[in-house]
Amino acid sequence: MPHINAAAALQICMLLSALPAQYLISRWYGTNSAQRIQITERLIIASWSRFTKSYLSLDAWADRLKLWLSKTRTCLNVGLLILHFRNWYNGEKKTKIGDSEAETHSYFAESTHVRSPRPEHIQFSVGQVVVHKVLGYSGVIVGWDIKAKAPEEWLQHKYPPAKQNLKETPHYRILINKVNGFGKSTAYVPEEEITITVGLEVVHHPDLKAYFSGYDGSKYIMQPWLKKIYPHD
């Protein structure tokens, strides 16, 4: 049974209080006792009729229930609409962020795609210490691509028309040795710009341990997760 709200309770009180009030009026203003009794009877019958129609009738309660359900349904629909919009917005937002991250991580030799089989023309391996032929900094290779994979704006800036052919050559991601004071922590360079260093070269870089577990005297030893990506290096 639906809950009787404050307005309904007030109406009941008014109906119940109307009977004694009307009775007093008829008591003081009726011409005789017979008329007062008749007026009182009519008032009682009318009050009871209104009360039964409002609160003892199944139709009245059915109407109230329909009204309550319609209000509840409206609130529920609005709530579902808000929820669907929120889920759509958050989902769209996550999708965009996810797409952006996936796209970003496919650039600059950061893709987790397994490099197997290893192409024969890839000259250097992950873990080898190299030096830049022109700029002179040293560093350790942490990844490579068969050809340059970077945003088109970056490629256009890096390779003017005279060097367009370099985009199709192997590229390497390098952690730059901090002792060089180069100003950058990483680099993404074509194969022709680097060469293997002569002798032992210890690389100092804050991310070194994330990629390698140690140094065997000739190259750095890859962490298990990196070895899965470059199983033949």
Side-chain angles (χ1 to χ4, degrees):
M1 183 178 292
H3 180 70
I4 298 178
N5 55 27
L10 179 61
Q11 186 176 0
I12 293 174
C13 292
M14 291 179 66
L15 288 173
L16 294 177
S17 62
L19 181 61
Q22 291 169 344
Y23 174 76
L24 290 174
I25 293 173
S26 64
R27 175 72 176 81
W28 292 106
Y29 293 97
T31 56
N32 52 53
S33 60
Q35 289 179 337
R36 287 196 295 271
I37 292 172
Q38 188 177 11
I39 292 172
T40 301
E41 288 177 349
R42 286 202 300 266
L43 290 173
I44 292 173
I45 293 173
S47 298
W48 178 251
S49 177
R50 286 195 299 270
F51 177 78
T52 55
K53 287 180 180 179
S54 297
Y55 298 101
L56 299 183
S57 169
L58 292 178
D59 292 337
W61 283 112
D63 291 339
R64 286 189 175 85
L65 182 60
K66 289 178 182 179
L67 180 61
W68 178 77
L69 288 175
S70 65
K71 290 181 178 179
T72 304
R73 190 179 297 113
T74 300
C75 293
L76 180 60
N77 290 338
V78 172
L80 289 174
L81 182 62
I82 294 173
L83 180 61
H84 286 320
F85 175 78
R86 184 183 301 164
N87 289 340
W88 170 83
Y89 177 76
N90 290 336
E92 183 73 10
K93 202 173 173 187
K94 289 179 181 177
T95 300
K96 288 181 178 179
I97 292 174
D99 291 344
S100 176
E101 288 179 349
E103 186 177 274
T104 299
H105 291 163
S106 69
Y107 294 150
F108 306 114
E110 288 190 303
S111 171
T112 56
H113 172 71
V114 177
R115 311 304 203 272
S116 180
R118 176 187 166 89
E120 293 182 359
H121 66 279
I122 300 295
Q123 183 177 350
F124 305 116
S125 302
V126 173
Q128 285 185 313
V129 178
V130 296
V131 62
H132 196 280
K133 294 178 180 178
V134 178
L135 301 177
Y137 63 78
S138 63
V140 57
I141 297 173
V142 294
W144 51 261
D145 292 318
I146 296 176
K147 62 180 181 179
K149 290 185 178 181
E152 188 60 32
E153 296 81 2
W154 187 91
L155 291 172
Q156 290 178 2
H157 176 74
K158 176 76 173 178
Y159 300 117
K163 293 185 176 182
Q164 286 293 302
N165 62 310
L166 289 179
K167 294 192 299 183
E168 303 302 317
T169 64
H171 277 62
Y172 299 82
R173 181 176 178 82
I174 299 170
L175 297 184
I176 298 175
N177 198 344
K178 284 183 63 178
V179 299
N180 299 148
F182 185 65
K184 290 175 60 178
S185 62
T186 61
Y188 187 65
V189 297
E191 190 172 83
E192 73 165 29
E193 293 184 0
I194 58 176
T195 185
I196 297 293
T197 60
V198 179
L200 177 63
E201 179 74 29
V202 177
V203 175
H204 298 277
H205 193 282
D207 297 332
L208 191 68
K209 290 184 179 180
Y211 292 92
F212 306 106
S213 60
Y215 185 73
D216 65 5
S218 62
K219 64 183 297 185
Y220 281 88
I221 303 169
M222 288 184 280
Q223 294 283 10
W225 70 268
L226 190 58
K227 186 64 178 177
K228 290 181 180 179
I229 301 174
Y230 300 94
H232 309 299
D233 280 30

